[in-house]
Amino acid sequence: MISLKELKKGLLTSLWFVFLTFPIMVIKVDPFERTITWRWHNAVYMAIGTFCIFFIMKFYMQRKEMKKDTQKDSNDSILQKTLLDTRKRNIFIGTVLAVALLFPQFVSSYQTNVMTTALMYVVLGLGLNIVVGLAGLLDLGFVAFYAVGAYSYALLNLHFGLGFWTVLPIGGLMAAFFGIMLGFPVLRLRGDYLAIVTLGFGEIIRLILENWGTFSQGPSGISNIPRPSLFGLDLSLGQAINYTYYLMIVFVIITIFVVNRLQDSRLGRAWIALREDEIACQAMGIDKRKTKLVAFSLGAFWAGAVGVIFAAKTTFINPASFTFLESAIILSIVVLGGMGSIIGVIFGALILILMPEYLRALSEYRMLAFGAILVCMMIFRPQGLISNIRRTYKFDKTNLKTTPK
Amino acid sequence: MLKLENVQSGYGNKLAIKDISIEIKKGEIISLIGANGAGKSTTLMTICGVVACRSGRITFQEEEIQKKNPDEIVSMGICQVPEGRHIFPELTVKENLDMGAFLRKDKEQIKRDMDYVFSLFPILAERRNQDGGTLSGGEQQMLAMSRALMAKPQLLLLDEPSMGLAPLVIKQIFEIIGQINKEQDTTIFLVEQNANQALRVADRAYVMENGGISFSGTAKDMLSNPDIQKAYLGI
């Protein structure tokens, strides 16, 4: 099974990795003693380790290829099959909902807080999913809209004393407006160029917030932002955390419902068509400009609304919360989960946000693990964890015969 | 029905079509033939509004359209089958056809039209749940034409329907072009390299050379014209 050629390739790969990791694995400099320790054994471990990993990967790749030949539906996971069956789907959704509702009763408020954060990223992911997954516009500055929402609440509250529920739609609309502002100049751009411009846009917003001190109070941020209110009741901290959690659950449900409806609508079709072929879209009479702008603004709306919730939840915001890394994480959620797939994005968000929280012991290696996971994903499941379920109507053979020939 | 008067257009600072005038009457099949780079596709794109018209007038049913957006022009009843087919590869055949009817709201009629295109191209009916990208070249061309028909255009613009297809498939496609023209009363403007086939199916034809119209007349005359025979028909 293993040919000489592969063996050679494996050897070369492991040698290359030894070379790459040489400075950190082998050389150890002691600055006080002014000595250098050469840990050659580490190089050997590295070589053996890489060599093994290389062949394990080869083995899995081969198995995947074989599978592809033998069975066609290997891409459909168990979850997808469950979701296609109406009865099973209802049971599944019911269970998830019940667990979600009872969750804060059984765990500490720290856990609830972490979960609320994860749910916020679910909505952010679903918002970005409209732009990237459906309309195919690579947006690297999505966090800018999140910042717009958060600062809308913080500033409107600070200067005009507006409450959470008033600002929630305003924050969303402000972000949507900024989405259109970004959308106009980039209408003609595609692919890499679009990514660069959106990246720049995200940085511009952050830099403005950081440097325009009189407007946004600069890097020191805005504190004492009130938590969401509940009919004027006074809530203790624990209650407030639970309340934000349930608020987020409701918000996630609303988002899923709306995004799902959008996906199946005429507009959703237009987005998917735009992603696939712009020329054909024009030939079919789709208004390219309007469709793209709507995608940008609708995606931004969710980010803005979540931004408001974020400001209310943490009661303090500063520009450091809205760096490019956030955009990258949200984008990873969409790509990891599966572009265009709602359930995929939900799982992507939960995995990417919860995993680092529960692996705090390994926090130094967090980014390393993050990168490794993404690389592996792209090799083994480029379509994402749970790829989009396409609504198709399958005909059986007897049905086929009745179609006109 | 469609009238181009002294139309100029191009890309950047280069004019691709210089001062051309074309007239298409209702119910006709008009062919536009010419060599590579003569400006045939640009002419089509200019009619559709994808490439901006620099000067001159384009009128469709007595209404000026040279300043309109592509989607407005489609909604007026001009539909294009772009060169190289441009189907949506990840949508199924049926979804591709649905996209063709994007601007229409009459569900019943859409369903009937879909049955009609399935009767024109039975192979598409068999493959209605297959992704567009998995079809063969000929089937993709059929799908692209069907998709345009789903928009129920009064004027159908076809850009090189024979590109990269086997002679037998080309013959079938051209037969159907004639059939659509008769059954649906759709006016057809056909841009082709394959002059032989294009002239056989057409009523009248224009020949393009270096961005201008060098010759026009009935298709029958052209087929027997020695210059055209030599330059485009290879006789």
Side-chain angles (χ1 to χ4, degrees):
Chain A
M1 201 169 106
I2 300 167
S3 66
L4 204 66
K5 208 170 140 197
E6 280 180 343
L7 211 64
K8 208 172 124 194
K9 207 175 156 196
L11 269 174
L12 280 175
T13 311
S14 55
L15 264 179
W16 175 241
F17 264 83
V18 168
F19 175 71
L20 275 182
T21 54
F22 187 79
I24 49 168
M25 297 304 285
V26 179
I27 305 172
K28 190 183 180 190
V29 182
D30 193 328
F32 300 110
E33 309 255 317
R34 290 173 170 271
T35 52
I36 296 172
T37 338
W38 300 87
R39 297 171 296 176
W40 290 109
H41 55 279
N42 273 356
V44 178
Y45 294 147
M46 195 68 211
I48 295 170
T50 321
F51 194 71
C52 292
I53 289 173
F54 178 81
F55 279 102
I56 290 170
M57 246 172 76
K58 261 262 138 52
F59 174 70
Y60 273 105
M61 298 266 260
Q62 243 167 26
R63 220 179 58 170
K64 200 178 144 198
E65 295 271 296
M66 302 242 284
K67 246 190 193 167
K68 218 181 245 169
D69 294 340
T70 48
Q71 67 187 92
K72 239 172 73 189
D73 307 331
S74 67
N75 280 344
D76 297 358
S77 59
I78 304 162
L79 200 70
Q80 278 182 5
K81 279 174 194 146
T82 322
L83 284 177
L84 281 176
D85 186 340
T86 327
R87 206 174 68 87
K88 278 186 192 160
R89 187 180 62 193
N90 287 343
I91 296 172
F92 178 74
I93 291 176
T95 322
V96 170
L97 212 63
V99 171
L101 287 179
L102 293 174
F103 186 74
Q105 312 302 330
F106 294 106
V107 295
S108 67
S109 57
Y110 166 73
Q111 306 283 2
T112 315
N113 224 342
V114 169
M115 205 47 158
T116 313
T117 313
L119 290 177
M120 275 164 44
Y121 278 89
V122 169
V123 178
L124 284 173
L126 288 172
L128 186 62
N129 188 34
I130 294 177
V131 186
V132 177
L134 293 180
L137 306 161
L138 184 54
D139 186 348
L140 291 181
F142 195 63
V143 78
F145 306 125
Y146 187 38
V148 167
Y151 268 88
S152 298
Y153 179 42
L155 291 174
L156 285 174
N157 186 272
L158 188 72
H159 296 304
F160 303 105
L162 293 183
F164 172 81
W165 290 105
T166 332
V167 183
L168 189 62
I170 296 178
L173 290 176
M174 275 295 279
F177 171 70
F178 271 81
I180 292 173
M181 288 241 297
L182 168 67
F184 260 115
V186 302
L187 278 174
R188 292 159 165 271
L189 303 178
R190 239 182 297 174
D192 314 354
Y193 306 101
L194 178 72
I196 292 169
V197 175
T198 51
L199 177 67
F201 179 77
E203 285 301 287
I204 287 170
I205 297 278
R206 187 178 64 81
L207 287 174
I208 288 176
L209 292 176
E210 208 152 76
N211 293 305
W212 192 3
T214 48
F215 170 71
S216 66
Q217 303 195 358
S220 54
I222 300 170
S223 52
N224 285 330
I225 303 165
R227 292 177 185 279
S229 54
L230 176 67
F231 307 116
L233 287 175
D234 257 342
L235 297 173
S236 70
L237 183 64
Q239 281 172 326
I241 286 172
N242 281 358
Y243 175 52
T244 322
Y245 172 80
Y246 285 119
L247 198 74
M248 226 30 243
I249 292 272
V250 173
F251 200 57
V252 165
I253 292 170
I254 294 172
T255 314
I256 292 172
F257 178 74
V258 173
V259 173
N260 193 25
R261 297 291 297 171
L262 272 175
Q263 206 166 356
D264 292 340
S265 71
R266 219 177 173 70
L267 189 63
R269 274 287 171 74
W271 284 333
I272 295 169
L274 200 67
R275 178 186 74 195
E276 303 237 317
D277 198 315
E278 286 199 8
I279 294 173
C281 268
Q282 281 184 317
M284 294 300 96
I286 295 169
D287 190 342
K288 211 169 85 176
R289 205 149 71 154
K290 203 175 87 193
T291 315
K292 274 190 183 180
L293 284 181
V294 170
F296 266 120
S297 58
L298 269 180
F301 176 84
W302 295 112
V306 179
V308 174
I309 298 178
F310 171 73
K313 172 179 165 279
T314 54
T315 71
F316 168 75
I317 53 166
N318 70 347
S321 314
F322 309 107
T323 54
F324 170 66
L325 188 66
E326 290 296 308
S327 291
I329 287 178
I330 304 168
L331 187 66
S332 310
I333 287 171
V334 176
V335 175
L336 187 86
M339 286 211 255
S341 146
I342 292 176
I343 187 112
V345 171
I346 296 170
F347 271 83
L350 294 180
I351 289 170
L352 275 189
I353 303 304
L354 296 183
M355 204 174 55
E357 288 297 335
Y358 293 119
L359 296 179
R360 279 217 176 266
L362 305 170
S363 60
E364 284 165 45
Y365 299 98
R366 200 194 285 192
M367 291 322 279
L368 195 69
F370 201 62
I373 289 172
L374 284 184
V375 170
C376 290
M377 279 294 298
M378 287 302 106
I379 295 172
F380 295 111
R381 274 195 84 84
Q383 73 275 43
L385 279 179
I386 300 153
S387 56
N388 194 14
I389 314 167
R390 296 290 305 286
R391 293 229 168 128
T392 45
Y393 303 93
K394 293 228 163 75
F395 290 83
D396 47 31
K397 285 228 168 90
T398 48
N399 228 334
L400 257 181
K401 274 175 195 149
T402 59
T403 52
K405 281 231 160 167
Chain B
M1 184 176 218
L2 183 81
K3 217 173 184 178
L4 279 75
E5 291 164 82
N6 306 85
V7 170
Q8 295 199 338
S9 82
Y11 310 92
N13 53 11
K14 283 258 160 45
L15 276 182
I17 54 177
K18 303 157 198 156
D19 237 12
I20 65 166
S21 300
I22 291 175
E23 197 188 347
I24 300 169
K25 295 196 191 84
K26 193 164 170 41
E28 278 185 318
I29 299 183
I30 304 291
S31 286
L32 183 64
I33 57 176
N36 278 332
K40 307 183 300 288
S41 294
T42 310
T43 310
L44 263 197
M45 291 297 193
T46 311
I47 296 172
C48 292
V50 177
V51 175
C53 173
R54 299 264 171 96
S55 71
R57 257 161 56 94
I58 306 174
T59 48
F60 179 64
Q61 290 174 333
E62 255 76 278
E63 201 177 327
E64 283 198 24
I65 59 166
Q66 75 264 32
K67 291 261 155 60
K68 286 195 186 334
N69 282 335
D71 53 292
E72 290 172 311
I73 292 172
V74 174
S75 69
M76 289 176 72
I78 300 182
C79 196
Q80 184 204 176
V81 180
E83 184 179 6
R85 311 187 263 271
H86 284 282
I87 53 144
F88 301 114
E90 278 176 38
L91 299 184
T92 63
V93 169
K94 192 173 167 299
E95 284 167 329
N96 263 286
L97 294 174
D98 280 336
M99 285 312 301
F102 187 76
L103 292 174
R104 293 172 57 187
K105 300 222 161 62
D106 44 344
K107 276 198 182 149
E108 283 300 305
Q109 190 59 39
I110 290 174
K111 213 167 168 312
R112 251 173 284 155
D113 283 345
M114 195 172 292
D115 288 338
Y116 174 70
V117 299
F118 280 152
S119 73
L120 282 180
F121 302 107
I123 188 84
L124 293 182
E126 273 176 46
R127 302 188 186 270
R128 66 178 93 190
N129 290 318
Q130 219 167 307
D131 281 357
T134 62
L135 301 183
S136 75
E139 288 160 359
Q140 287 189 10
Q141 183 62 50
M142 294 174 192
L143 178 58
M145 279 172 59
S146 309
R147 191 182 58 185
L149 282 179
M150 289 301 290
K152 204 116 186 91
Q154 288 164 292
L155 174 64
L156 183 64
L157 309 174
L158 293 167
D159 199 349
E160 296 212 22
S162 74
M163 192 167 91
L165 299 182
L168 262 177
V169 182
I170 296 179
K171 205 169 152 240
Q172 193 193 349
I173 296 244
F174 274 92
E175 274 166 16
I176 284 172
I177 291 173
Q179 197 183 337
I180 293 167
N181 175 253
K182 278 195 202 86
E183 287 178 3
Q184 298 274 301
D185 202 24
T186 311
T187 315
I188 291 173
F189 186 47
L190 178 67
V191 165
E192 255 303 340
Q193 292 264 8
N194 189 335
N196 201 356
Q197 288 284 0
L199 290 178
R200 266 169 226 284
V201 72
D203 298 313
R204 286 189 302 121
Y206 292 85
V207 178
M208 249 186 133
E209 242 170 72
N210 291 326
I213 302 282
S214 62
F215 197 87
S216 67
T218 62
K220 235 185 222 154
D221 288 347
M222 290 230 187
L223 277 170
S224 54
N225 183 316
D227 289 339
I228 305 255
Q229 281 183 345
K230 214 168 117 197
Y232 299 104
L233 300 175
I235 301 172

Short mmCIF file of all heavy atoms in Angstrom, two decimals, chain A residues 309-330:
data_model
loop_
_atom_site.label_atom_id
_atom_site.label_comp_id
_atom_site.label_asym_id
_atom_site.label_seq_id
_atom_site.Cartn_x
_atom_site.Cartn_y
_atom_site.Cartn_z
N ILE A 309 -26.72 44.21 22.26
CA ILE A 309 -26.82 43.24 23.35
C ILE A 309 -25.46 43.06 24.03
O ILE A 309 -25.37 42.97 25.25
CB ILE A 309 -27.36 41.89 22.83
CG1 ILE A 309 -28.75 42.10 22.26
CG2 ILE A 309 -27.38 40.85 23.94
CD1 ILE A 309 -29.37 40.87 21.67
N PHE A 310 -24.41 43.05 23.20
CA PHE A 310 -23.06 42.90 23.75
C PHE A 310 -22.74 44.05 24.72
O PHE A 310 -22.26 43.81 25.84
CB PHE A 310 -22.05 42.88 22.60
CG PHE A 310 -20.61 42.94 23.04
CD1 PHE A 310 -20.01 41.84 23.64
CD2 PHE A 310 -19.86 44.08 22.85
CE1 PHE A 310 -18.68 41.89 24.04
CE2 PHE A 310 -18.53 44.15 23.25
CZ PHE A 310 -17.95 43.04 23.84
N ALA A 311 -23.06 45.27 24.29
CA ALA A 311 -22.77 46.42 25.15
C ALA A 311 -23.56 46.30 26.46
O ALA A 311 -23.04 46.58 27.54
CB ALA A 311 -23.11 47.71 24.43
N ALA A 312 -24.82 45.87 26.34
CA ALA A 312 -25.65 45.75 27.53
C ALA A 312 -25.17 44.64 28.44
O ALA A 312 -25.25 44.73 29.66
CB ALA A 312 -27.10 45.51 27.12
N LYS A 313 -24.65 43.58 27.85
CA LYS A 313 -24.24 42.42 28.64
C LYS A 313 -22.97 42.72 29.42
O LYS A 313 -22.87 42.42 30.60
CB LYS A 313 -24.03 41.22 27.72
CG LYS A 313 -23.42 40.02 28.38
CD LYS A 313 -23.29 38.87 27.40
CE LYS A 313 -22.37 37.82 27.92
NZ LYS A 313 -20.95 38.12 27.72
N THR A 314 -21.97 43.32 28.72
CA THR A 314 -20.69 43.52 29.39
C THR A 314 -20.66 44.82 30.19
O THR A 314 -19.75 45.02 30.99
CB THR A 314 -19.54 43.53 28.38
OG1 THR A 314 -19.84 44.51 27.38
CG2 THR A 314 -19.35 42.20 27.73
N THR A 315 -21.60 45.70 29.94
CA THR A 315 -21.73 47.03 30.57
C THR A 315 -20.51 47.91 30.34
O THR A 315 -20.42 49.00 30.86
CB THR A 315 -21.99 46.96 32.09
OG1 THR A 315 -20.80 46.52 32.74
CG2 THR A 315 -23.15 46.07 32.42
N PHE A 316 -19.54 47.43 29.58
CA PHE A 316 -18.37 48.25 29.26
C PHE A 316 -17.89 47.88 27.87
O PHE A 316 -17.79 46.69 27.54
CB PHE A 316 -17.25 47.98 30.27
CG PHE A 316 -15.93 48.55 29.84
CD1 PHE A 316 -15.68 49.91 29.93
CD2 PHE A 316 -14.93 47.71 29.33
CE1 PHE A 316 -14.46 50.43 29.51
CE2 PHE A 316 -13.72 48.23 28.93
CZ PHE A 316 -13.49 49.60 29.02
N ILE A 317 -17.64 48.89 27.03
CA ILE A 317 -17.05 48.58 25.72
C ILE A 317 -15.89 49.52 25.46
O ILE A 317 -15.88 50.67 25.91
CB ILE A 317 -18.08 48.70 24.57
CG1 ILE A 317 -18.77 50.06 24.60
CG2 ILE A 317 -19.08 47.58 24.61
CD1 ILE A 317 -19.53 50.37 23.34
N ASN A 318 -14.91 48.99 24.73
CA ASN A 318 -13.85 49.85 24.20
C ASN A 318 -13.41 49.28 22.85
O ASN A 318 -13.77 48.15 22.51
CB ASN A 318 -12.70 49.99 25.20
CG ASN A 318 -11.93 48.72 25.36
OD1 ASN A 318 -12.37 47.66 24.92
ND2 ASN A 318 -10.78 48.80 25.99
N PRO A 319 -12.68 50.07 22.07
CA PRO A 319 -12.37 49.62 20.70
C PRO A 319 -11.61 48.30 20.66
O PRO A 319 -11.62 47.63 19.64
CB PRO A 319 -11.50 50.77 20.15
CG PRO A 319 -11.87 51.95 20.96
CD PRO A 319 -12.19 51.44 22.32
N ALA A 320 -10.94 47.92 21.75
CA ALA A 320 -10.15 46.68 21.73
C ALA A 320 -11.02 45.45 21.54
O ALA A 320 -10.52 44.38 21.19
CB ALA A 320 -9.36 46.56 23.03
N SER A 321 -12.35 45.59 21.78
CA SER A 321 -13.23 44.43 21.59
C SER A 321 -13.54 44.20 20.12
O SER A 321 -14.18 43.21 19.78
CB SER A 321 -14.56 44.64 22.32
OG SER A 321 -14.33 45.13 23.60
N PHE A 322 -13.15 45.14 19.25
CA PHE A 322 -13.59 45.05 17.86
C PHE A 322 -12.41 45.02 16.91
O PHE A 322 -12.33 45.76 15.95
CB PHE A 322 -14.52 46.23 17.53
CG PHE A 322 -15.63 46.37 18.52
CD1 PHE A 322 -15.64 47.39 19.44
CD2 PHE A 322 -16.65 45.45 18.54
CE1 PHE A 322 -16.66 47.51 20.37
CE2 PHE A 322 -17.67 45.55 19.46
CZ PHE A 322 -17.68 46.58 20.37
N THR A 323 -11.45 44.14 17.20
CA THR A 323 -10.27 44.04 16.34
C THR A 323 -10.54 43.09 15.18
O THR A 323 -11.57 42.42 15.12
CB THR A 323 -9.08 43.50 17.15
OG1 THR A 323 -9.49 42.29 17.75
CG2 THR A 323 -8.65 44.50 18.20
N PHE A 324 -9.56 43.03 14.30
CA PHE A 324 -9.70 42.15 13.13
C PHE A 324 -9.87 40.70 13.54
O PHE A 324 -10.54 39.93 12.86
CB PHE A 324 -8.48 42.31 12.22
CG PHE A 324 -8.43 41.29 11.14
CD1 PHE A 324 -9.40 41.29 10.15
CD2 PHE A 324 -7.46 40.29 11.12
CE1 PHE A 324 -9.39 40.33 9.16
CE2 PHE A 324 -7.46 39.33 10.14
CZ PHE A 324 -8.42 39.35 9.15
N LEU A 325 -9.26 40.35 14.69
CA LEU A 325 -9.35 38.96 15.15
C LEU A 325 -10.82 38.53 15.29
O LEU A 325 -11.18 37.40 14.97
CB LEU A 325 -8.62 38.81 16.48
CG LEU A 325 -8.49 37.37 16.98
CD1 LEU A 325 -7.60 36.58 16.04
CD2 LEU A 325 -7.94 37.35 18.38
N GLU A 326 -11.67 39.46 15.76
CA GLU A 326 -13.09 39.15 15.90
C GLU A 326 -13.70 38.80 14.54
O GLU A 326 -14.42 37.82 14.40
CB GLU A 326 -13.83 40.34 16.51
CG GLU A 326 -13.50 40.61 17.94
CD GLU A 326 -13.93 39.49 18.86
OE1 GLU A 326 -15.10 39.09 18.79
OE2 GLU A 326 -13.08 39.00 19.62
N SER A 327 -13.40 39.65 13.55
CA SER A 327 -13.90 39.38 12.20
C SER A 327 -13.45 38.00 11.74
O SER A 327 -14.21 37.23 11.17
CB SER A 327 -13.37 40.41 11.21
OG SER A 327 -13.92 41.66 11.44
N ALA A 328 -12.17 37.71 12.01
CA ALA A 328 -11.61 36.43 11.57
C ALA A 328 -12.34 35.27 12.25
O ALA A 328 -12.64 34.26 11.61
CB ALA A 328 -10.12 36.38 11.89
N ILE A 329 -12.65 35.45 13.55
CA ILE A 329 -13.35 34.37 14.26
C ILE A 329 -14.75 34.17 13.69
O ILE A 329 -15.18 33.04 13.43
CB ILE A 329 -13.40 34.67 15.77
CG1 ILE A 329 -12.01 34.48 16.37
CG2 ILE A 329 -14.40 33.76 16.48
CD1 ILE A 329 -11.91 34.80 17.83
N ILE A 330 -15.45 35.28 13.44
CA ILE A 330 -16.81 35.15 12.90
C ILE A 330 -16.77 34.48 11.53
O ILE A 330 -17.57 33.60 11.21
CB ILE A 330 -17.50 36.53 12.81
CG1 ILE A 330 -17.51 37.21 14.18
CG2 ILE A 330 -18.94 36.38 12.32
CD1 ILE A 330 -17.91 38.66 14.13
#
